[in-house]
């Protein structure tokens, strides 16, 4: 059976990996220009297709039949070649978004909902919310009557969904809007899954509002598409399994801790054990500046170094699946936290202070380690998801981290 993903520019798609976890059909990426679309749909040798940007509407005229959901959503993300050559258009994003709502534990019935964006995904979100009995549903568009300049009109919204690409890799840190106007917000969803936590989701976390990214939706729509391709049911538990696996593979492991606590040694070993890329923020700072760290401190002071360090962390924090060793003092700048947290689990390494080497480390040379530790302790605690002792061998530390993860 020949299946695949049809789009204009597919870049790095997770779909082949997800479908490989679901079934053993052939699943390829089909990048087609608008001029190639008709011929590929009508005569390409496919049995089942997923469809993505910008063709979710464009493929509809080629469908000999449409599911009710596809009609209600006004878009098709799954095509099936039926016996006899007819083409059926389905929308499994709707199933995916229903799954997202369920895993978020949010029931929209009777509740006012705000959707950022007016594209294909926003239309699907609107259709699902309407089907589930949501109260008023507001679409916010940059050029619409409801726009980002008058969000305060909707302060009473209980649910905010981002269905725009604002904040998606490589534009990490951006957001269509802040949650500040939504003073009665009960839940937030962002259809983006790279980064795992967009600025919008991190804002929701800070406010203590339940939130979810789009990875579960991606896995759920794929599972539903695979069921349609195969004509069989696949257990719902597969969705959580795929989501969990992808989320582990995509997240960075970020090491923080006092200067000399072993972040580089442990990081290299950990990356080797997991077959992952290893990066060091200090090395990136030195490369970008073409100067050693002591030289940067001499010329630009700690302020200049910290500015360079934040720029390096912004670049490294956007990666997926990397092991990242940070500089000991990066935790003293709050703006570094979202850069590391957006895609990462943050592990703090603890090492006895009398074992910390000080040579070549400008701050350690000037300050007593006990005093430095006391000054930074709360910052390390603020950043860390968990702490691991590195007083044994580096191999023992790596094992302890892997056990904890
Ligand atoms: P789309 O059809 O291109 O629509 C996106 C909409 O976002 C546009 O209509 C536009 O609306 C708004 N927009 C675009 N750039 C913006 C910006 N810089 N700032 C604010 N608003 C902007 O795309 P789509 O298919 O709906 O997808 C939207 C997002 O959902 C994408 O990030 C996509 O990856 C994600 N998605 C995820 C899943 C999943 O399974 N998790 C499934 C589908 C889509 P206005 O011009 O009206 O403002």
């Amino acid at each position: 059976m020949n299946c695949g993903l049809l789009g204009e520019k597919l870049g790095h798609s997770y779909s082949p990996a997800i479908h490989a976890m679901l079934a053993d059909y052939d699943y390829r990426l089909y990048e087609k220009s608008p001029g190639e679309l008709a011929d590929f749909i009508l005569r390409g040798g496919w049995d089942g297709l997923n469809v993505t940007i910008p063709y979710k509407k464009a493929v509809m005229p080629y469908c000999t039949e449409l599911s009710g959901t596809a009609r209600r959503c006004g878009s098709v993300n799954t095509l099936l070649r039926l016996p006899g050559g007819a083409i059926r258009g389905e929308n499994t994003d709707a199933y995916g978004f229903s799954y997202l709502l369920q895993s978020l534990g949010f029931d929209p019935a009777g509740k006012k909902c705000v959707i950022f964006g007016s594209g294909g995904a926003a239309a699907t979100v609107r259709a699902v919310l309407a089907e589930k009995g949501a109260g008023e549903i507001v679409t916010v568009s940059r050029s619409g009557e409801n726009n980002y300049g008058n969000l305060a009109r909707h302060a009473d919204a209980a649910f905010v969904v981002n269905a725009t690409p604002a904040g998606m890799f490589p534009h990490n840190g951006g957001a269509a809007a802040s949650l500040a106007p939504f003073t009665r917000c009960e839940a937030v969803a962002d259809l983006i899954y790279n980064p795992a936590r967009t600025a919008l989701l991190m804002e929701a976390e800070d406010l203590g509002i339940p939130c979810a990214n789009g990875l579960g939706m991606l896995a759920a729509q794929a599972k539903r598409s695979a069921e349609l391709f195969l004509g069989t049911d696949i257990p719902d538990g597969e969705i959580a399994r795929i989501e969990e696996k992808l989320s582990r593979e995509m997240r960075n492991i970020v090491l923080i801790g006092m200067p000399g606590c072993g972040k580089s040694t442990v990081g290299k070993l950990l990356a080797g054990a997991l077959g992952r890329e290893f990066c060091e923020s200090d090395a990136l700072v030195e490369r970008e500046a073409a100067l050693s760290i002591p030289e940067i401190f001499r010329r630009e002071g700690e302020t200049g170094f910290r500015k360079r360090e934040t720029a390096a962390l912004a670049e490294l924090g956007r990666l997926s699946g990397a092991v990242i060793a940070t500089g000991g003092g990066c935790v003293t700048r709050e703006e570094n936290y979202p850069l590391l947290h957006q895609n990462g689990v943050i592990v703090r390494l603890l090492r006895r202070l009398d074992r910390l080497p000080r040579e070549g480390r400008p701050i350690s040379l000037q300050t007593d380690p006990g005093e430095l530790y006391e000054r930074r302790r709360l910052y390390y605690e603020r950043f860390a998801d968990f702490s691991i002792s590195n007083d044994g061998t580096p191999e023992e530390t790596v094992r302890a981290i892997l056990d904890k993860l």
Side-chain angles (χ1 to χ4, degrees), residues 92-291:
T92 67
D93 281 336
Y95 177 89
F97 185 66
S98 298
Y99 175 85
L100 188 158
L101 281 177
Q102 191 194 330
S103 53
L104 188 52
F106 179 74
D107 178 2
K111 301 270 174 78
K112 178 165 178 174
C113 302
V114 163
I115 306 166
F116 295 159
S118 65
T124 298
V125 166
R126 173 176 272 276
V128 173
L129 290 173
E131 203 170 274
K132 294 192 181 299
E136 188 186 350
I137 305 172
V138 178
T139 297
V140 177
S141 160
R142 289 168 299 178
S143 57
E145 187 203 329
N146 290 301
N147 55 58
Y148 298 100
N150 57 29
L151 291 176
R153 285 180 182 179
H154 308 294
D156 55 339
F159 187 38
V160 173
V161 185
N162 177 47
T164 79
M168 184 164 77
F169 177 86
H171 304 292
N172 301 43
S178 141
L179 292 172
F182 305 104
T183 49
R184 286 161 61 188
C185 185
E186 295 169 24
V188 174
D190 197 325
L191 305 196
I192 292 171
Y193 46 86
N194 184 10
R197 300 178 191 91
T198 56
L200 188 80
L201 292 181
M202 288 193 278
E203 194 184 355
E205 274 184 4
D206 282 347
L207 293 167
I209 302 172
C211 58
N213 69 18
L215 193 59
M217 175 174 171
L218 181 77
Q221 64 76 26
K223 183 231 118 134
R224 185 73 195 113
S225 295
E227 287 179 331
L228 295 168
F229 295 157
L230 296 167
T232 56
D233 284 349
I234 296 174
D236 287 349
E238 285 299 283
I239 302 171
R241 184 181 74 87
I242 291 169
E243 186 182 358
E244 170 74 16
K245 185 166 189 294
L246 279 181
S247 135
R248 275 170 184 276
E249 285 172 8
M250 288 163 76
R251 79 180 168 192
N252 296 321
I253 302 170
V254 180
L255 302 178
I256 61 168
M258 286 282 282
C261 72
K263 298 181 291 288
S264 303
T265 310
V266 169
K268 271 181 216 150
L269 269 178
L270 185 61
L274 293 168
R276 291 183 174 210
E277 180 185 3
F278 173 68
C279 315
E280 277 181 291
S281 66
D282 279 354
L284 182 56
V285 167
E286 289 188 324
R287 235 182 4 260
E288 292 288 320
L291 294 169

Side-chain angles (χ1 to χ4, degrees), residues 8 82 121 147 157 168 170 186 241 318 323 354 374:
E8 189 173 21
L82 303 178
N147 55 58
M168 184 164 77
E186 295 169 24
R241 184 181 74 87
R318 289 190 308 191
V323 176
D354 58 3
E374 273 317 310

